[in-house]
Amino acid sequence: MTEMDNKIHALLAFLCAAGIILGIAGDAIFKLLGWAQ
Amino acid sequence: MQFAAVNKLIFFILAVLSGGLSARLACRRLNFTEWIYLWAVSFAATMTAAGALAFKYGLSTYEIMLVFGFLSIVLLYLYFNNRKNFEREPLALNPAGLLLLLILAGSAVLRILLMWNTEFPLGDDSYFHCLYARSIQQAGRLIYSMAPYNPLPLKYPWGLHVMLAWASGMTGIPIHSVFKGALIAYSVVSVLGVFVAARRITGSYSAALWSAFLYGLVVNFGSIDYIRWGGLSNVFSMAALLALALLALKKDEGVRTGWMWPVFVLITAFLVHGSAAAVLYAVLASFAVVLFLRGGKGISDGLFHLVTIAVSIGAGAIVAPDIFSHLVNLGGVAGVFEEKYVGVMDFPLIFSIIPAAAAAAGFVILSRRPRQAHFPLFAWTLTLLAGFIASRYGAGLVNYIRSGSAICAFVPSRFVTDMAYPISIFAGAAFAWGFGKLGAVENRLLRWAVAAAVLALCLHIPFQHLHDKWGQTYAGPEEIRAMDWLAANAPQDSLIVNKTDAPGSYWVAYRSGRPTTITSFPQLFHLDFTNAERERNFVQAGMKLNHLVFQSRDWNLLGAALWYFPYSSIYVYSNGPIGVPWAKLAFRTKTIYIYQIKGGQ
């Protein structure tokens, strides 16, 4: 593991977490607006 | 043994040889379980290739055997040239090896039991795939509509169906049984795939065993759920992706990997399902992006993946320009299909709560424990999440603004299904971590009690599935008897009006070999005779209405309209008396009434 590998690992983990949060937000908005059919 | 049987045997030996040896050569250093896994993926690809040679290029069985025989000789030569690289594997008849066997056997038994009581595979996709394969088998060549069953142009790629038709023709086993067998076998192969990939990714046997256990016996969507809807093409595609992820890791470890095998497997994925292959391309491309970011040797490795994708798309486009044109026009392909909404907050329920919660914990654990080999796991997850968010919410929003409906045609749930594999690996890492901690607890009773409780919570899930599915069947013996009567007695040029609510009606075309008014998803036409305006127009236009779904209860109206259809005889497959004096009851089983409303004596 180089310093770069560590950075890439952190970036991927961060993006995955951000994706989940974005997904939850999107889901909440779609359900609130009644688009979730 | 008959001559034909010897032929088949020789073919299978050749297919097994070419599959097994080509997998062995995909990578210079493999251990036994990895080899078995790659071999199984290779075998599916080999069978698809045989089907394509037979039905697309019109090769005879002998010519195909010649091709595979030649291939086997070349591969044997290559194999004996570098067999010393075989990697020793610490998995043998030790507890870890036995546990793996137990998990594989448990996954197989669960799936066999889930389909124990049903002759035809469950699921809306199953009858479509089987009828498609039957149409190819009957025509003896590739077809672009399921005529005579359905005149509408087909948009679904033919790779899976030539494979089913070919395997059924070679073995003499009916197509639907091949379908069931392949679905069970390749679900179990996927469990092994999760194990070999998880072991490379996490570097831990226990995490890999837990991943396989959770994937095979606990995770619902993207695993056990395949039995419910008949997702064989997706099973194949994801099995290929696990194999390619394994090879990407090997390459990353500095092991030499061949380029022909990944291309061969990717072309198969392309032929089997263009849009599932698009997911494979996207995930492999994400590996390449990570490797590019790393720089140095990563750049050539990343390029390797991109070139593999490009070559397989190019070769796929040459083999099947029809599939390629759909691949570049994905929205148009999926436009006919609208699926039920699934959002991120539904994930815990659709995957099953335990693996979903464990995956969240595993994500935190693995994120805090950086490891070079983690990259396929994180890149795979991220690509699917991005695809899901873009298609579900992004495209949904755009569609809402454009047309007032937030539906995305590109089936966002496919990304969720495909996420089951990385989720199992994350969850497996969490289980390995948790049970490691538990092992250090001094109170023996507490240790066993917690372990038993967690295992019981996990293992109630397969039993729940068995409870739900046991005895579930699309067509029972009485329905099949009625279909067989039609196959034996209805003239070839007959139309069968199969009522939507009659049990087994979706399988009538496949089993009877006659066109029916319900053919197959995804091309249903719902025509309602109670409001007959549109239907009269169809009839007046002289259209062959063998793709309508009959919903009316007014049999007099229906009978009058059907009389003008260009079929010599018309039968009704019904779940009860239709109450029309002029309809003749031709055959009856306990559950099915067959009436003749046109033709005959």
Side-chain angles (χ1 to χ4, degrees), chain B residues 177-213:
Chain B
S177 303
V178 175
F179 187 93
K180 268 166 68 176
L183 190 52
I184 293 169
Y186 277 85
S187 294
V188 179
V189 162
S190 304
V191 177
L192 182 63
V194 167
F195 171 81
V196 292
R199 188 176 47 183
R200 289 280 156 193
I201 289 168
T202 61
S204 145
Y205 270 82
S206 76
L209 283 170
W210 280 117
S211 304
F213 166 76

Side-chain angles (χ1 to χ4, degrees), chain B residues 13-282:
Chain B
I13 292 169
L14 293 179
V16 166
L17 263 181
S18 357
L21 294 175
S22 67
R24 176 69 187 77
L25 295 166
C27 179
R28 281 291 173 85
R29 283 182 70 81
L30 283 177
N31 59 41
F32 185 68
T33 42
E34 289 167 346
W35 181 31
I36 292 292
Y37 180 64
L38 295 186
W39 171 79
V41 174
S42 249
F43 184 67
T46 310
M47 292 305 280
T48 310
L53 288 174
F55 295 109
K56 181 174 168 69
Y57 298 106
L59 262 58
S60 72
T61 311
Y62 291 106
E63 288 162 333
I64 294 172
M65 275 163 61
L66 216 60
V67 171
F68 284 105
F70 176 70
L71 206 64
S72 300
I73 291 167
V74 173
L75 289 169
L76 265 177
Y77 168 75
L78 289 172
Y79 173 70
F80 280 108
N81 259 350
N82 68 92
R83 71 193 144 140
K84 55 191 174 298
N85 292 316
F86 210 63
E87 198 174 89
R88 281 176 66 87
E89 185 170 38
L91 259 195
L93 285 181
N94 55 30
L98 289 176
L99 272 174
L100 178 62
L101 280 180
L102 204 63
I103 291 166
L104 294 174
S107 309
V109 168
L110 170 64
R111 284 156 180 83
I112 290 169
L113 287 179
L114 285 174
M115 289 207 262
W116 190 256
N117 285 314
T118 174
E119 169 71 24
F120 298 129
L122 300 175
D124 294 348
D125 285 39
S126 307
Y127 57 76
F128 166 73
H129 290 309
C130 290
L131 189 63
Y132 192 160
R134 181 167 179 169
S135 309
I136 290 177
Q137 203 177 44
Q138 249 171 279
R141 59 181 165 77
L142 276 193
I143 42 145
Y144 294 95
S145 79
M146 292 196 291
Y149 306 108
N150 188 334
L152 292 179
L154 270 170
K155 288 177 171 175
Y156 204 100
W158 44 261
L160 177 69
H161 311 98
V162 292
M163 179 208 289
L164 290 172
W166 166 259
S168 159
M170 278 299 282
T171 56
I173 299 170
I175 289 166
H176 67 273
S177 303
V178 175
F179 187 93
K180 268 166 68 176
L183 190 52
I184 293 169
Y186 277 85
S187 294
V188 179
V189 162
S190 304
V191 177
L192 182 63
V194 167
F195 171 81
V196 292
R199 188 176 47 183
R200 289 280 156 193
I201 289 168
T202 61
S204 145
Y205 270 82
S206 76
L209 283 170
W210 280 117
S211 304
F213 166 76
L214 289 166
Y215 179 77
L217 290 161
V218 186
V219 170
N220 179 34
F221 226 61
S223 178
I224 304 172
D225 184 58
Y226 281 132
I227 305 286
R228 178 186 59 79
W229 62 279
L232 185 57
S233 37
N234 213 72
V235 172
F236 279 134
S237 302
M238 287 302 116
L241 184 49
L242 281 170
L244 295 171
L246 175 72
L247 287 184
L249 281 168
K250 289 271 180 185
K251 197 169 183 55
D252 202 40
E253 290 167 16
V255 178
R256 260 185 72 186
T257 57
W259 62 272
M260 279 205 285
W261 196 83
V263 167
F264 177 49
V265 166
L266 272 174
I267 294 173
T268 309
F270 175 99
L271 297 180
V272 165
H273 196 315
S275 37
V279 173
L280 266 71
Y281 301 145

Side-chain angles (χ1 to χ4, degrees), chain A residues 1-2 4-6 8-9 11-20 22-24 26-28 30-31 35-37, chain B residues 290 293-294 339 341 343-346 363 366-367 370-372 374-375 378 381-382 385 389 392-393 396-397 400 406:
Chain A
M1 284 292 278
T2 61
M4 193 59 195
D5 285 333
N6 266 324
I8 294 169
H9 190 273
L11 177 71
L12 287 174
F14 169 76
L15 288 176
C16 285
I20 288 282
L22 193 64
I24 291 174
D27 198 16
F30 267 52
K31 279 179 177 151
W35 293 357
Q37 281 152 14
Chain B
V290 172
L293 283 176
R294 222 188 253 169
E339 62 167 7
Y341 180 90
V344 174
M345 286 191 276
D346 305 317
F363 176 74
L366 294 187
S367 298
R371 194 178 134 80
Q372 191 170 321
H374 280 169
F375 81 91
F378 282 82
T381 311
L382 184 60
L385 263 175
I389 290 168
R392 165 60 72 216
Y393 305 117
L397 187 66
Y400 187 81

Side-chain angles (χ1 to χ4, degrees), chain B residues 279-315:
Chain B
V279 173
L280 266 71
Y281 301 145
V283 173
L284 273 183
S286 74
F287 295 176
V289 170
V290 172
L291 292 165
F292 285 146
L293 283 176
R294 222 188 253 169
K297 177 179 163 292
I299 294 185
S300 64
D301 286 357
L303 269 176
F304 172 87
H305 295 305
L306 291 186
V307 170
T308 310
I309 297 172
V311 171
S312 66
I313 294 179

Side-chain angles (χ1 to χ4, degrees), chain B residues 495-499 517 550 555 558 562 570-573 597:
Chain B
L495 173 70
I496 296 159
V497 179
N498 43 351
K499 283 183 72 190
T517 52
F550 173 63
W555 285 92
L558 176 76
L562 286 176
I570 297 176
Y571 293 84
V572 177
Y573 176 95
I597 58 174

Side-chain angles (χ1 to χ4, degrees), chain B residues 245-549:
Chain B
L246 175 72
L247 287 184
L249 281 168
K250 289 271 180 185
K251 197 169 183 55
D252 202 40
E253 290 167 16
V255 178
R256 260 185 72 186
T257 57
W259 62 272
M260 279 205 285
W261 196 83
V263 167
F264 177 49
V265 166
L266 272 174
I267 294 173
T268 309
F270 175 99
L271 297 180
V272 165
H273 196 315
S275 37
V279 173
L280 266 71
Y281 301 145
V283 173
L284 273 183
S286 74
F287 295 176
V289 170
V290 172
L291 292 165
F292 285 146
L293 283 176
R294 222 188 253 169
K297 177 179 163 292
I299 294 185
S300 64
D301 286 357
L303 269 176
F304 172 87
H305 295 305
L306 291 186
V307 170
T308 310
I309 297 172
V311 171
S312 66
I313 294 179
I318 292 167
V319 176
D322 46 326
I323 298 175
F324 182 73
S325 66
H326 291 314
L327 191 67
V328 294
N329 181 25
L330 285 174
V333 176
V336 289
F337 187 69
E338 291 173 7
E339 62 167 7
K340 196 171 163 281
Y341 180 90
V342 170
V344 174
M345 286 191 276
D346 305 317
F347 285 8
L349 279 180
I350 57 184
F351 288 122
S352 306
I353 292 221
I354 299 165
F363 176 74
V364 174
I365 292 167
L366 294 187
S367 298
R368 291 163 57 98
R369 224 192 270 161
R371 194 178 134 80
Q372 191 170 321
H374 280 169
F375 81 91
L377 178 66
F378 282 82
W380 184 333
T381 311
L382 184 60
T383 309
L384 294 180
L385 263 175
F388 180 74
I389 290 168
S391 58
R392 165 60 72 216
Y393 305 117
L397 187 66
V398 172
N399 280 347
Y400 187 81
I401 293 166
R402 274 171 47 186
S403 64
S405 156
I407 283 168
C408 170
F410 188 59
V411 199
S413 76
R414 85 172 66 239
F415 296 106
V416 189
T417 308
D418 299 348
M419 230 180 272
Y421 303 79
I423 274 198
S424 306
I425 298 176
F426 278 123
F431 266 65
W433 177 84
F435 274 85
K437 291 271 177 227
L438 190 64
V441 171
E442 278 192 16
N443 185 333
R444 201 167 153 199
L445 183 67
L446 182 70
R447 220 160 57 204
W448 282 102
V450 172
V454 173
L455 281 180
L457 275 174
C458 289
L459 284 175
H460 98 275
I461 289 174
F463 286 103
Q464 181 73 43
H465 279 285
L466 277 176
H467 175 262
D468 293 347
K469 296 273 185 319
W470 188 256
Q472 211 184 83
T473 159
Y474 272 32
E478 291 300 306
E479 288 84 62
I480 292 173
R481 206 151 67 82
M483 295 175 204
D484 287 343
W485 183 88
L486 284 166
N489 294 288
Q492 274 302 322
D493 179 30
S494 300
L495 173 70
I496 296 159
V497 179
N498 43 351
K499 283 183 72 190
T500 45
D501 52 354
S505 67
Y506 284 86
W507 284 97
V508 174
Y510 168 80
R511 184 73 174 205
S512 71
R514 306 290 185 280
T516 58
T517 52
I518 302 173
T519 51
S520 271
F521 178 81
Q523 290 150 326
L524 298 181
F525 265 64
H526 288 265
L527 299 187
D528 181 1
F529 273 86
T530 48
N531 173 19
E533 184 72 28
R534 196 165 57 137
E535 288 61 41
R536 256 202 309 278
N537 291 341
F538 268 109
V539 175
Q540 278 165 1
M543 188 171 169
K544 265 196 164 189
L545 277 189
N546 54 5
H547 52 269
L548 68 87
V549 173

